[in-house]
Amino acid sequence: MIETVNIFCKNKEIVMLEESVSVDKVISAIHQLIVEKDYILTSMNIDGIHISDNYDETILKNLGKINSIILDVRTKKELETEMIVEMIQYLERALPAMDILINNLYKSGIEIRWDLFTDFIEGASWLITAIEFITSTVQLSEGNSLLDVLKELNTAVENHDSILMADILMYEIKPYYSIILKQLENINN
């Protein structure tokens, strides 16, 4: 029995037509294509189902049933451009939300809105990762490391010091976010 797996990447098709298509052969074909073109794989669509991780496992479980795999790939430059736009959008939302969090900390003490604080921490973690990704080719002048400032913020949280938490947000993180936003806007224009 001959099996066929069609792999599409940027409107280019690779047809695998073999007596036995193995997971290794499919993954190898995908890897070879990505390496040749210097792409970054962001996700894939396997017979209409969006997959963003565990590619090998998904292909292994469904190999005999797979008809087509559409690769969602980007060049590093394309991914950086998308990341910069996402960072700008995040920072434009984060700065006003940070004002609410700061006001809440100054007024309410440790009885803060933890949902806002959790959202802020998750966003800051994502921002750190995004900055690390784009600074391999884009130069940002960061000042103090955001990670170091977040460690200070964590100490304030552990000590239940809401005033220090608000001060760190107001005088260290908010200015940092504003500077990064301006730099990203300049790069994006």
Side-chain angles (χ1 to χ4, degrees), residues 101 104-105 107-114 160 162 165:
L101 183 58
N104 186 257
L105 282 165
K107 290 178 184 174
S108 305
I110 203 64
E111 298 300 321
I112 67 168
R113 289 198 42 208
W114 287 105
H160 303 287
S162 61
M165 289 168 63

Side-chain angles (χ1 to χ4, degrees), residues 89-103 116 174 177-178 181:
Q89 291 169 346
Y90 163 75
L91 290 166
E92 288 174 341
R93 290 186 316 269
L95 285 163
M98 198 179 306
D99 287 334
I100 295 168
L101 183 58
I102 291 166
N103 289 335
L116 287 177
K174 188 174 177 188
Y177 275 28
S178 296
L181 176 59

Side-chain angles (χ1 to χ4, degrees), residues 26-87:
V26 173
I27 296 298
S28 178
I30 292 169
H31 180 72
Q32 181 180 350
L33 178 65
I34 290 170
V35 169
E36 282 175 6
K37 301 291 185 179
D38 200 24
Y39 289 143
I40 297 169
L41 179 63
T42 57
S43 65
M44 61 176 68
N45 185 308
I46 300 177
D47 290 335
I49 300 171
H50 181 81
I51 309 294
S52 58
D53 58 6
N54 299 322
Y55 308 117
D56 298 3
E57 183 180 312
T58 304
I59 292 170
L60 179 63
K61 285 181 183 176
N62 300 293
L63 188 58
K65 301 175 265 181
I66 294 174
N67 293 314
S68 70
I69 300 173
I70 301 170
L71 306 177
D72 186 8
V73 296
R74 306 278 191 288
T75 64
K76 184 162 177 46
K77 182 67 178 161
E78 289 170 335
L79 209 50
E80 284 173 346
T81 301
E82 289 175 20
M83 186 75 67
I84 288 169
V85 170
E86 289 175 21
M87 292 168 70

Side-chain angles (χ1 to χ4, degrees), residues 139-154:
Q139 195 63 1
L140 296 176
S141 57
E142 302 174 39
N144 290 335
S145 165
L146 181 56
L147 191 55
D148 291 338
V149 176
L150 289 175
K151 287 177 185 177
E152 291 176 37
L153 184 61
N154 184 53

Side-chain angles (χ1 to χ4, degrees), residues 4-20:
T4 304
V5 176
N6 299 303
I7 302 172
F8 299 90
C9 180
K10 294 232 182 212
N11 297 321
K12 182 179 179 183
E13 181 180 11
I14 300 170
V15 177
M16 295 188 71
L17 184 66
E18 301 190 19
E19 290 198 24
S20 64

